Amino acid sequence: MARPYGPGPKQFVFAADDGDDQRVSVRDPQEAYEVFAAFLRARESDTYTIRDEPAGQSLVLMPRRGLISRFRDADQPRSEHLKVDRGNRYLPGAMLFFENGYAGLDHFGQWLADLSDLDAAPETRGATRAAMFTTEAAAVAEVGRIWADSGIVDPSDQYYVFFESDDLDHDRAERAELLQLIAFLGLERVDPPVGAAGGEVWVRSDPRLDAECERWS
């Protein structure tokens, strides 16, 4: 159930390339999502922007470029960008923004601060993202995010399986990031069993992973 805004409704501005901005007042994130989905369906645009002007935050969806960008102007200005490889990621990203603004998308994917980094090869993007995590706690949290998005626990409870049933052509950037984080944390990677998909990454259970993955379960 969507959390209500309060006190009173919340205002957003929806914008597209046609210049016909739409200012909306909504009672909760679900209503915001439904109104924005209708706004998006009614237009053919290179960009779709959601602005939360009182909070100084915005989200830009660029389906034709396969990108999502988020911006925060208040306090410490910040912008980050995400390469999107599936068309069904845009509206879920918008919903997270409606629910909790800029921070709502923290765990949505591989955010990079430099837009030009998104043009790099997937393996380079993954390495760039992994290098952003300089503490053990942050690195473990990122490993947990990747596992929650793609992983399972082996039935023996001895291993965490990442990219379950994937081949090597899928999730190349996230796999490259994960492998670098595994090395940084000193986790033990093991050979997958015979018959496992070629893109799977198996990691032996570790107390840090146990605690983090429990949060995501």
Side-chain angles (χ1 to χ4, degrees):
M1 182 177 181
R3 292 176 287 104
Y5 295 127
K10 189 174 179 66
Q11 284 74 43
F12 294 98
V13 177
F14 300 156
D17 295 342
D18 59 11
D20 184 20
D21 294 2
Q22 182 175 336
R23 190 174 296 271
V24 302
S25 179
V26 293
R27 295 163 295 180
D28 56 46
Q30 183 62 39
E31 183 181 7
Y33 173 90
E34 292 170 357
V35 175
F36 178 69
F39 176 88
L40 188 150
R41 286 194 300 267
R43 290 162 175 79
E44 289 289 337
S45 180
D46 288 335
T47 64
Y48 303 88
T49 301
I50 304 166
R51 298 199 302 270
D52 181 350
E53 293 179 341
Q57 299 181 0
S58 59
L59 185 72
V60 182
L61 311 179
M62 294 167 273
R64 292 177 182 170
R65 294 183 62 191
L67 300 177
I68 297 176
S69 295
R70 61 176 180 167
F71 301 87
R72 183 177 65 198
D73 298 327
D75 300 326
Q76 296 178 324
R78 188 175 179 182
S79 62
E80 290 188 316
H81 314 279
L82 176 70
K83 189 85 168 179
V84 180
D85 57 5
R86 299 192 299 272
N88 60 358
R89 297 280 280 172
Y90 297 100
L91 283 174
M95 184 64 181
L96 292 172
F97 185 78
F98 292 135
E99 289 179 335
N100 200 27
Y102 186 100
L105 290 118
D106 281 351
H107 301 297
F108 195 58
Q110 282 190 329
W111 294 101
L112 298 173
D114 191 335
L115 187 60
S116 65
D117 286 336
L118 299 184
D119 294 327
E123 289 75 16
T124 302
R125 295 202 312 270
T128 299
R129 171 73 174 176
M132 297 169 60
F133 300 94
T134 57
T135 67
E136 178 178 288
V140 169
E142 178 69 355
V143 170
R145 178 195 70 79
I146 296 171
W147 176 81
D149 192 47
S150 67
I152 62 170
V153 178
D154 174 66
S156 72
D157 285 333
Q158 296 182 65
Y159 307 104
Y160 287 94
V161 182
F162 296 80
F163 311 111
E164 190 259 336
S165 297
D166 268 2
D167 61 40
L168 283 170
D169 290 333
H170 293 154
D171 296 314
R172 288 166 54 194
E174 294 227 321
R175 186 174 293 101
E177 177 190 2
L178 175 67
L179 295 180
Q180 191 159 316
L181 292 174
I182 287 172
F184 173 70
L185 292 168
L187 298 172
E188 182 183 355
R189 184 183 177 190
V190 301
D191 292 334
V194 174
E200 291 184 358
V201 176
W202 287 55
V203 177
R204 190 176 298 278
S205 180
D206 177 281
R208 295 166 295 175
L209 277 184
D210 295 341
E212 183 62 29
C213 293
E214 179 65 26
R215 287 200 320 111
W216 291 93
S217 299

